[in-house]
Amino acid sequence: MQNPEANPWKVVSEKEVYTNTWISLIHHEVINPSGNPGIYGKVHFKNRAIGVIPLDVDMNTYLVGQFRFTINQYSWEIPEGGGPLNEDPLDAAKRELLEETGLKASQWTELCRIHLSNSVSDEYGYIYLARELEQFEAEPEDTEQLVVKKVPFSEVYRMVCNSQITDSMTVAAVLRVQLMIIEGSIS
């Protein structure tokens, strides 16, 4: 019996067709799982995705709003960004939280690791819960025009459930925190 988890794809050739500081696009000529020739495009990410859901003692969180070029719409999200592959993901999370919100946290919990769009990209993310928050000055990057708002976590959970928030890292983080609240590991 063949191992169902074995790779059924055969790569005949691959060629980088585009690259920039953040991504590269690779064109693959393949033999697909049914044995027929085909093509596959893969977006390779040169950084890992980092997300942080800050949660204060009153069960408020902080959302970051910005216009997302790729989807041509405004998006409310947890603080997110990229971390170089050679940087510790937690260090990247601390930096992103401070850059986008001005917050520092003294308690950190890794919530999950996530593939963000594994049908077309190899983007891999880490999501953290940040507690015991202190407010400092935000330091956004020059490509970011951000609005930060403090929102009761229960309202953010409703926004996710009503599809008002569709960012995958935010959805995963909010649902994971809600589960932790139900289980009693967050109060």
Side-chain angles (χ1 to χ4, degrees):
M1 182 171 151
Q2 187 177 10
N3 177 358
E5 294 184 10
N7 183 356
W9 295 84
K10 180 181 178 193
V11 176
V12 176
S13 67
E14 63 181 64
K15 178 181 177 185
E16 184 177 81
V17 294
Y18 175 80
T19 190
N20 66 28
T21 304
W22 304 278
I23 64 166
S24 61
L25 178 59
I26 318 255
H27 173 83
H28 296 273
E29 297 288 333
V30 298
I31 304 298
N32 67 29
S34 64
N36 296 314
I39 61 170
Y40 214 111
K42 177 175 90 171
V43 179
H44 166 67
F45 280 76
K46 297 177 181 179
N47 292 292
R48 59 173 67 93
I50 301 294
V52 180
I53 184 161
L55 193 62
D56 70 17
V57 294
D58 297 320
M59 299 300 284
N60 295 303
T61 191
Y62 296 75
L63 293 178
V64 176
Q66 64 183 306
F67 192 89
R68 287 293 191 178
F69 182 88
T70 53
I71 60 173
N72 198 34
Q73 68 184 48
Y74 202 81
S75 179
W76 286 103
E77 307 162 0
I78 61 173
E80 298 175 352
L85 298 176
N86 63 353
E87 181 181 25
D88 180 271
L90 180 56
D91 290 339
K94 290 176 180 180
R95 184 186 67 254
E96 284 299 327
L97 181 63
L98 180 62
E99 280 179 9
E100 294 194 356
T101 67
L103 293 169
K104 289 185 180 181
S106 59
Q107 182 184 349
W108 290 86
T109 305
E110 183 180 309
L111 293 179
C112 63
R113 298 177 187 191
I114 185 171
H115 285 101
L116 293 158
S117 185
N118 62 6
S119 64
V120 295
S121 84
D122 63 1
E123 188 175 24
Y124 191 72
Y126 290 75
I127 303 173
Y128 292 91
L129 171 64
R131 303 291 313 264
E132 298 180 18
L133 307 173
E134 287 185 75
Q135 187 68 58
F136 295 87
E137 190 69 31
E139 304 166 3
E141 295 177 1
D142 63 355
T143 59
E144 298 173 319
Q145 186 178 18
L146 307 177
V147 173
V148 178
K149 69 178 179 178
K150 182 174 163 178
V151 185
F153 178 81
S154 59
E155 182 180 329
V156 175
Y157 175 68
R158 281 192 298 278
M159 292 171 76
V160 165
C161 291
N162 295 330
S163 298
Q164 293 170 281
I165 293 177
T166 58
D167 172 71
S168 62
M169 290 187 77
T170 303
V171 169
V174 169
L175 294 179
R176 178 72 174 101
V177 167
Q178 180 66 24
L179 181 59
M180 292 170 77
I181 291 168
I182 290 168
E183 292 173 340
S185 59
I186 293 179
S187 55

